[in-house]
Amino acid sequence: MTESAPRHNEPQIIRTIAELRAAIAAFRRAGADSGVGFVPTMGYLHEGHASLIRKSAADNGLTLLSIFVNPIQFGPNEDLDKYPRDEARDLKVAAASGASIVFLPSAAEMYPAKRVTTVTVNEVSDSLCGASRPGHFDGVATVVAKLFNIVQPDRAYFGMKDAQQVAVIARMVQDLNIPVEVVPCPILREEDGLALSSRNVYLDAKARSEASVLSRALSRTEEWIEEGATASELISRLSREIASSDIADIDYVDLLTYPELTRPEEGKPLAGLDADVLVAVAVRFGQTRLIDNKLLNPAKAGAILCSAK
Amino acid sequence: MTESAPRHNEPQIIRTIAELRAAIAAFRRAGADSGVGFVPTMGYLHEGHASLIRKSAADNGLTLLSIFVNPIQFGPNEDLDKYPRDEARDLKVAAASGASIVFLPSAAEMYPAKRVTTVTVNEVSDSLCGASRPGHFDGVATVVAKLFNIVQPDRAYFGMKDAQQVAVIARMVQDLNIPVEVVPCPILREEDGLALSSRNVYLDAKARSEASVLSRALSRTEEWIEEGATASELISRLSREIASSDIADIDYVDLLTYPELTRPEEGKPLAGLDADVLVAVAVRFGQTRLIDNKLLNPAKAGAILCSAK
């Protein structure tokens, strides 16, 4: 026997649903009541993903990370084929962050036959990215429903950079009585404020430098609310601030209640509104579409980290 | 202490999701590996339902019967309000058949908020009752997904009188990776052949007597296939036979592969077709719409009791 130290942090790599179910059943049978935490991702992990894994590892006896670039949530003209992938690097991040199992299914494992079943979450899916990317949230809801049925986690961790995705999934869980706790986690940012995203790797030097205009614009939200802005005034100011970058091509700038994603009453200063509201932007820099957001309650001072139910 | 014998067969009555989950968790924790069987119904139980409960009780340590007249699977002009209900009688049938728990949720318990999430099973839902009753199978798939998430059964039992419903649910289970075994069970019939149905109670004496034309017509299917009928010829003969009753108002008579519910190649004698096919009819007798069907493999002798995957 050699005296190499045991490698506690080396996660088990699983590529089939049957093996994954067996591994989770074995953990459950062992009688640990500490729970199964689940972090579903599309890989190309960054520090934002790592923060979800660490949070899950702190809360649960077993943390399962899935890496699956889900084809059905990409539109025909979107970036499915060039979506960044780096399995070797992802496995290092998973190990360093405390994942016990990494689930890496193929598309054929997840969609072996022609899929005819779709989970649709109306209303919450209709605005923002749902309006810009038709069918996107059907694809998200359907794959997350599948993954929840495969993993049967106690808790699932999602980053609030995709705030609408969190709202869609939380609503699906509520409406379909899925026995899982959805845990929203705060956005992580670069030093200049750019929200971490796997898609940031697409940005050239000029776009990377200009992209920080999104978080800079969002950071002025509270100031404008204090100055008496209505919803449409706030949207105009945000749009103007973002348009100060000559390469920023705005997809949407919007303000909606959260997590219902309905439009607040127009024409009144936001400052009096005692409700969680999401200020959300989607902006193209060249070929790369970035999203960012801020969740806050105008009637109360300060932004809310995350409040999805 | 009185000496009354323990009433083994008295099922526990539960009306809330939280209590139901607690009762099932207690059963699971007790370590029985004999499984949880689930029989979802809309109540007004007949011998067909009783056969599902008995089958589940034979297969599983705990059998859960749900009784819920699901509003979202009824169309605006359908019989939701007058759908027959008799809780006291249902509880006797449940007890006599071996149910351990009867789950009787209110509509507010199942749909506490405006529901925005829908499970849709395309293609399999498009023909037969799906064509006659738009939205019906969305309502069925959505409530069954909810019930599966609430109960988390090992096996779920469905009667093949609703053969398309079985195909829709089996396909949803497959596509969404729901960890449950769907067990299709044979149609039960009255002495004159009428398929048992809660809706038979609507029939007046004349309609009740005429309604047996459905099973009589279906029973001639194999004879017509032997005589060389193509699919469209078989449909014509069945329709003519059913129309021999002057009060029979045909909604549909059709023949489709099972469980895919696709149309077989036209113009060829069915006798050479080595595939499971469903011969299905929906016919109104007065205000009452009845359905019946036969599942068979034309290339092999004899009808198949049930073969859903």
Side-chain angles (χ1 to χ4, degrees):
Chain A
M1 272 176 74
T2 61
E3 282 184 48
S4 64
R7 301 196 299 172
H8 282 301
N9 285 331
E10 212 58 39
Q12 187 181 355
I13 298 168
I14 296 181
R15 295 183 191 272
T16 70
I17 293 167
E19 284 172 87
L20 184 68
R21 284 189 161 139
I24 294 168
F27 172 79
R28 297 271 190 205
R29 259 198 316 276
D33 56 1
S34 53
V36 172
F38 179 39
V39 182
T41 78
M42 300 213 300
Y44 213 73
L45 305 179
H46 52 63
E47 186 56 24
H49 298 111
S51 74
L52 304 180
I53 301 168
R54 284 194 298 266
K55 167 87 171 131
S56 173
D59 292 351
N60 300 280
L62 183 145
T63 286
L64 191 145
L65 168 75
S66 70
I67 298 177
F68 179 59
V69 181
N70 174 38
I72 69 167
Q73 73 188 66
F74 287 80
N77 297 314
E78 293 184 357
D79 57 347
L80 172 61
D81 291 337
K82 67 164 188 161
Y83 196 85
R85 291 161 168 89
D86 188 341
E87 191 176 305
R89 208 192 57 162
D90 284 350
L91 292 175
K92 282 182 199 149
V93 175
S97 312
S100 318
I101 296 176
V102 181
F103 180 47
L104 284 155
S106 67
E109 180 73 7
M110 289 296 284
Y111 302 111
K114 186 188 170 195
R115 177 188 58 92
V116 296
T117 305
T118 301
V119 181
T120 304
V121 184
N122 285 314
E123 299 185 13
V124 191
S125 294
D126 295 343
S127 56
L128 307 177
C129 288
S132 298
R133 306 180 66 187
H136 170 66
F137 285 118
D138 286 2
V140 168
T142 302
V143 79
V144 172
K146 285 169 66 72
L147 288 167
F148 281 173
N149 284 326
I150 293 167
V151 177
Q152 298 186 276
D154 297 289
R155 295 167 201 92
Y157 298 80
F158 295 89
M160 279 297 283
K161 183 166 140 297
D162 300 298
Q164 187 176 19
Q165 172 173 277
V166 174
V168 167
I169 291 166
R171 189 57 194 262
M172 171 182 79
V173 162
Q174 177 189 318
D175 279 357
L176 295 184
N177 308 93
I178 301 176
V180 63
E181 180 190 351
V182 172
V183 185
C185 301
I187 300 174
L188 265 65
R189 299 181 179 280
E190 302 282 3
E191 274 194 22
D192 69 347
L194 178 66
L196 296 191
S197 165
S198 303
R199 287 188 171 98
N200 290 350
V201 71
Y202 297 152
L203 299 168
D204 63 23
K206 158 95 169 152
R208 171 63 192 82
S209 151
E210 299 277 313
S212 62
V213 73
L214 301 186
S215 58
R216 247 189 347 267
L218 285 168
S219 72
R220 300 195 58 189
T221 304
E222 281 121 320
E223 168 193 339
W224 291 329
I225 291 173
E226 272 177 42
E227 289 170 18
T230 64
S232 63
E233 283 163 2
L234 189 78
I235 291 168
S236 298
R237 287 192 186 190
L238 262 167
S239 303
R240 244 177 297 147
E241 185 81 13
I242 292 169
S244 71
S245 160
D246 57 358
I247 59 165
D249 173 17
I250 292 176
D251 178 4
Y252 65 74
V253 172
D254 214 344
L255 182 154
L256 298 169
T257 66
Y258 197 86
E260 303 80 9
L261 299 183
T262 56
R263 204 157 290 286
E265 201 186 345
E266 189 41 58
K268 290 192 176 168
L270 284 166
L273 179 64
D274 188 8
D276 292 356
V277 299
L278 180 74
V279 185
V281 303
V283 178
R284 270 174 223 288
F285 293 85
Q287 295 298 302
T288 307
R289 182 176 172 281
L290 300 180
I291 59 174
D292 200 351
N293 70 74
K294 184 164 203 166
L295 187 61
L296 48 80
N297 184 316
K300 292 169 186 155
I304 297 153
L305 272 184
C306 39
S307 79
K309 281 144 201 170
Chain B
M1 270 176 73
T2 61
E3 281 183 47
S4 64
R7 301 196 298 172
H8 283 299
N9 285 330
E10 212 58 39
Q12 187 181 357
I13 298 169
I14 296 182
R15 296 183 191 270
T16 70
I17 294 167
E19 284 172 87
L20 184 68
R21 285 190 160 139
I24 295 168
F27 173 79
R28 297 272 190 202
R29 259 198 315 276
D33 56 2
S34 53
V36 172
F38 179 39
V39 182
T41 78
M42 299 212 301
Y44 213 73
L45 304 179
H46 52 64
E47 186 54 24
H49 298 111
S51 73
L52 304 180
I53 300 168
R54 285 194 298 267
K55 168 84 171 133
S56 173
D59 293 352
N60 300 281
L62 182 146
T63 285
L64 191 144
L65 168 75
S66 71
I67 299 177
F68 179 59
V69 181
N70 174 38
I72 69 167
Q73 73 187 66
F74 287 78
N77 297 313
E78 292 185 358
D79 58 347
L80 172 61
D81 291 337
K82 67 164 189 162
Y83 196 85
R85 291 162 168 89
D86 188 341
E87 190 176 306
R89 207 191 58 161
D90 285 350
L91 292 174
K92 283 181 197 147
V93 175
S97 311
S100 319
I101 296 175
V102 181
F103 180 47
L104 283 155
S106 66
E109 180 73 7
M110 289 295 285
Y111 302 111
K114 186 188 171 196
R115 177 188 59 90
V116 296
T117 305
T118 301
V119 181
T120 304
V121 185
N122 285 314
E123 298 185 16
V124 192
S125 294
D126 295 344
S127 57
L128 307 177
C129 289
S132 298
R133 305 180 67 188
H136 170 66
F137 285 118
D138 286 1
V140 169
T142 303
V143 79
V144 172
K146 284 168 67 72
L147 289 167
F148 281 173
N149 284 326
I150 293 166
V151 177
Q152 298 187 276
D154 297 288
R155 296 167 201 90
Y157 299 81
F158 296 89
M160 279 298 282
K161 183 167 141 298
D162 301 297
Q164 186 176 18
Q165 173 173 278
V166 174
V168 167
I169 291 166
R171 189 58 194 262
M172 172 183 78
V173 162
Q174 177 189 317
D175 280 358
L176 295 185
N177 307 93
I178 301 176
V180 64
E181 181 189 351
V182 173
V183 184
C185 300
I187 300 174
L188 265 65
R189 298 181 180 282
E190 302 282 1
E191 273 193 23
D192 69 348
L194 178 66
L196 297 191
S197 166
S198 302
R199 287 189 171 97
N200 290 350
V201 72
Y202 295 152
L203 300 168
D204 64 24
K206 159 94 170 152
R208 171 63 192 83
S209 151
E210 298 277 315
S212 62
V213 73
L214 301 185
S215 59
R216 248 190 346 270
L218 285 168
S219 73
R220 300 196 58 189
T221 304
E222 281 120 320
E223 168 193 339
W224 291 329
I225 290 173
E226 272 177 41
E227 289 170 19
T230 64
S232 63
E233 284 163 3
L234 187 79
I235 291 167
S236 298
R237 288 191 185 192
L238 264 167
S239 304
R240 245 176 296 147
E241 186 81 13
I242 292 168
S244 70
S245 160
D246 57 0
I247 59 164
D249 173 16
I250 292 176
D251 176 4
Y252 65 74
V253 173
D254 214 342
L255 183 155
L256 297 169
T257 66
Y258 196 86
E260 302 81 9
L261 300 183
T262 56
R263 203 156 291 287
E265 201 185 345
E266 188 40 60
K268 290 191 174 168
L270 284 166
L273 179 64
D274 187 8
D276 291 356
V277 299
L278 180 74
V279 186
V281 303
V283 178
R284 272 174 221 286
F285 292 86
Q287 295 298 304
T288 307
R289 183 176 171 279
L290 300 180
I291 60 173
D292 200 351
N293 71 75
K294 184 165 202 166
L295 187 61
L296 48 80
N297 183 317
K300 292 169 185 156
I304 298 152
L305 273 183
C306 38
S307 78
K309 280 144 201 171

